[in-house]
Amino acid sequence: MPRPSAGSHHNDKLHVKKGDTVIVLSGKHRGQTGKVLLALPRDQKVVVEGVNVITKNVKPSPANPQGGQERRELALHASKVAIVDPETGKATRIRKQIVDGKKVRVAVGSGKVID
């Protein structure tokens, strides 16, 4: 049985992808930057390295016989992050453009190709 998609999004696309450097725009982690570790397009969420970190108590298991506390990043909604402009280092929107016959993402602020 297919999983219902989050919200009313008719397509499962994000403006960011794994490996992008992003900045958090809102919430208690506003202003923090990090690399996208995981993109979850179905849920419109992203996991960013070093942002939204919690401490989780873990029971001992065969994989981890010690147990104890583990620090891990939780997912943020994708609308709360923006790609960092490679030229200015500030948050920017992106647009898609065809360069040399290939569709690439371009920073709106500086016009630099992101990928």
Side-chain angles (χ1 to χ4, degrees), residues 24-49:
V24 181
L25 300 175
S26 66
K28 66 180 180 179
H29 302 288
R30 180 181 179 177
Q32 291 184 352
T33 59
K35 189 179 275 191
V36 175
L37 299 175
L38 181 67
L40 305 165
R42 281 295 287 267
D43 300 326
Q44 297 286 305
K45 293 191 176 202
V46 291
V47 177
V48 182
E49 184 178 31

Side-chain angles (χ1 to χ4, degrees), residues 3-17:
R3 194 170 76 166
S5 66
S8 62
H9 299 282
H10 63 279
N11 62 357
D12 298 328
K13 291 185 179 180
L14 295 177
H15 63 288
V16 294
K17 57 186 181 183

Side-chain angles (χ1 to χ4, degrees), residues 35-113:
K35 189 179 275 191
V36 175
L37 299 175
L38 181 67
L40 305 165
R42 281 295 287 267
D43 300 326
Q44 297 286 305
K45 293 191 176 202
V46 291
V47 177
V48 182
E49 184 178 31
V51 176
N52 203 14
V53 178
I54 57 139
T55 304
K56 184 169 176 65
N57 293 318
V58 182
K59 284 185 176 181
S61 66
N64 182 7
Q66 183 68 34
Q69 293 184 332
E70 179 182 285
R71 294 175 60 79
R72 64 169 63 163
E73 292 96 353
L74 292 183
L76 289 169
H77 198 273
S79 65
K80 290 188 172 202
V81 299
I83 291 182
V84 173
D85 193 320
E87 191 172 277
T88 62
K90 294 183 179 178
T92 185
R93 292 171 294 140
I94 60 161
R95 68 169 163 256
K96 300 215 168 85
Q97 218 171 8
I98 296 175
V99 177
D100 299 329
K102 191 174 180 185
K103 195 180 209 181
V104 294
R105 296 180 303 160
V106 176
V108 172
S110 66
K112 292 281 183 184
V113 175

